[in-house]
Amino acid sequence: MTRTNKKAECVVIGGGIIGVTIAYELLRQGRSVTLIDKDQPGKGCSYGNAGHFAAEQIFPMPSPSLIRTVPSMLLDPDSPLTLKASYFLSFIPWGLRFLWNCRQKLFDRGTDALKFLNKTALQDWTELLEDSGLQKYLTKKGTIEVFKTQKGRDSGLKSVPNFIKHDISVQILSAADLKEKIPAITDDQHGGLFFPHSGHSINPYGIVRDLHESFLKQGGKFLLEKVENIKMLSAEQSEIIFKTGSLIAKNIFICSGYESQKIIKMLGYIVPMTAERGYHVMLEKPNIPLEYALTYHERKFIITPMEQGIRLAGTVEFSHADDPPNYHRARMLVKFSKEILPNISQEGSEEWMGSRPTLPDYLPVLDKVDNVYFAFGHNHLGLTQAASTAKIMVRMMTEKTTSFLHIQQGLNIQQGRNPFRLGRF
Ligand SMILES: Cc1cc2nc3c(=O)[nH]c(=O)nc-3n(C[C@H](O)[C@H](O)[C@H](O)COP(=O)(O)OP(=O)(O)OC[C@H]3O[C@@H](n4cnc5c(N)ncnc54)[C@H](O)[C@@H]3O)c2cc1C
């Protein structure tokens, strides 16, 4: 079937959590919307995340203190961070930019940007899920960071003044407080931190799937197509080309996760994106009670109670996106979870790997050029920031302004062919 010259008002490319929420929000504002994905929505990185609405995570990964710990992390086989040897040379330009972003000035700027984005994250999600009747997917009980060791507690408590300085609610838990909230936790732990204004999802894939369903019921359109090319015909019209035809669009939203870099290249833009791969293990019969999403401070991964069981998710693996998954990274999470939840059972476990779309400053690209809107690069925080991102992008289109995006605007995107200009990102 050829669809050449069909016209559309708003076309969203990418049906992950970012694209689907933007498509839904545009529809809610009375726009006519077509969503395009090469697969069924929600099968990319958004499928298997840890489900943490991490409103408290306002500190970007590149930081002055991280520089000191990265070398030892890379040498430790059990570390939450790994860099595949065959990816090393390709990684250098991204890695240099990452180091550049560890400077205090850029860390502070990144903190302001994330604070701005996370501030209304839960409120925006609550509104969107109430509108779509999907409130069951958001649990607003708060989340907990667990300290297994005294050393972990000492380092974890150092962050408390910073959270307070930035108006993030946090409570310090003793070992007894923690045991009361998490009866299955080991006795030899050192308490933790409680973030009362964060939350978790009982099924992150379910949100994308059901929001997409609701979008279709309310008149949104979906095309199962791989976008092969885009041509900007004028400031108001672009042609989106796929195998079976093309579509002329008034407004295009590029939300294709890790693959956004390929899509924007079609328009002559480049962005320093890497596939920051992460893993999960879904324990279908965990046999322990758990009410809260936990972050295991020393091992740096998340343990989340979900509809299907308990999910262990996290780790960072820098590698070519299409390298085969190394499921050892997932299995080690089971071993580590037993250090704090000794009775957890690994029966019926499913393993999964996904590629986070990550830029070296750990900020997303939220920007526009003429009628093309960019919303990608949400790294570890795509679920958390999706509803707020959707609101921002819709305002960007309807109010024809980017000025309220004081920090992000234009930061991450660069026209031309020179990706090596340090300092720009
Ligand atoms: C292990 C792990 C744990 C995580 N935990 C959390 C967490 O607890 N909280 C949190 O906030 N975030 C978390 N994240 C991050 C979060 O999952 C991502 O930021 C988010 O899923 C990115 O969403 P996206 O829509 O940008 O990308 P994706 O979900 O990857 O969607 C992009 C879509 O674009 C489509 N696409 C690509 N190219 C084309 C093309 N040419 N034509 C048509 N379609 C195309 C793809 O098929 C895909 O469906 C985690 C990530 C991982 C890996």
Side-chain angles (χ1 to χ4, degrees), residues 16-18 37-38 45-46 49-50 52 227 379-384:
I17 190 71
I18 302 295
D37 200 300
K38 59 186 172 146
C45 186
S46 305
N49 63 52
H52 185 180
V227 173
N379 58 81
H380 291 235
L381 292 170
L383 174 68
T384 307

Side-chain angles (χ1 to χ4, degrees), residues 34-279:
T34 302
L35 176 70
I36 306 184
D37 200 300
K38 59 186 172 146
D39 203 343
Q40 286 302 327
K43 294 291 175 76
C45 186
S46 305
Y47 177 81
N49 63 52
H52 185 180
F53 291 102
E56 83 286 358
Q57 285 185 19
I58 58 159
F59 302 116
M61 199 75 79
S63 70
S65 58
L66 193 78
I67 291 193
R68 289 189 290 276
T69 53
V70 166
S72 59
M73 279 168 117
L74 287 173
L75 292 172
D76 175 0
D78 281 348
S79 150
L81 172 67
T82 183
L83 168 59
K84 212 170 166 191
S86 59
Y87 185 56
F88 181 70
L89 286 179
S90 312
F91 178 75
I92 289 174
W94 191 97
L96 288 175
R97 282 201 180 86
F98 177 88
L99 291 176
W100 181 260
N101 278 286
C102 288
R103 289 179 307 150
Q104 188 69 45
K105 194 173 138 203
L106 294 186
F107 175 75
D108 292 343
R109 192 177 66 168
T111 303
D112 284 346
L114 290 182
K115 196 172 152 185
F116 168 74
L117 267 177
N118 287 10
K119 196 171 177 186
T120 55
L122 244 71
Q123 190 188 317
D124 291 337
W125 263 120
T126 304
E127 226 177 79
L128 195 130
L129 292 175
E130 275 173 6
D131 186 82
S132 51
L134 300 173
Q135 303 93 314
K136 70 165 184 170
Y137 285 124
L138 170 59
T139 306
K140 291 195 274 187
K141 283 188 177 151
T143 60
I144 295 175
E145 184 168 347
V146 173
F147 305 134
K148 165 79 173 155
T149 60
Q150 184 61 45
K151 196 174 160 209
R153 184 175 177 89
D154 293 344
S155 85
L157 292 190
K158 281 190 194 140
S159 61
V160 171
N162 283 333
F163 284 122
I164 292 169
K165 181 176 150 199
H166 290 285
D167 303 320
I168 302 292
S169 303
V170 57
Q171 294 163 18
I172 299 173
L173 303 178
S174 65
D177 296 335
L178 183 60
K179 188 83 187 168
E180 200 177 308
K181 284 192 181 302
I182 317 287
I185 203 96
T186 178
D187 291 333
D188 66 342
Q189 37 82 16
H190 286 76
L193 296 178
F194 179 55
F195 297 96
H197 297 141
S198 296
H200 72 272
S201 174
I202 55 164
N203 188 344
Y205 168 63
I207 300 184
V208 189
R209 183 196 56 209
D210 293 0
L211 208 53
H212 177 238
E213 190 113 311
S214 180
F215 163 81
L216 293 178
K217 277 194 188 134
Q218 294 177 54
K221 296 186 196 80
F222 176 64
L223 286 183
L224 185 62
E225 296 278 3
K226 178 174 179 192
V227 173
E228 306 276 352
N229 204 356
I230 304 178
K231 285 186 198 150
M232 278 180 90
L233 305 176
S234 69
E236 277 104 37
Q237 279 199 332
S238 308
E239 184 177 15
I240 302 163
I241 300 160
F242 29 84
K243 271 219 172 77
T244 60
S246 71
L247 202 56
I248 306 286
K250 201 166 162 205
N251 303 288
I252 302 183
F253 291 80
I254 298 176
C255 324
S256 319
Y258 168 69
E259 290 175 275
S260 299
Q261 56 178 324
K262 292 185 198 157
I263 308 256
I264 66 166
K265 231 179 188 171
M266 298 168 190
L267 294 164
Y269 295 97
I270 48 167
V271 74
M273 175 96 83
T274 193
E276 197 196 350
R277 306 200 314 177
Y279 290 83

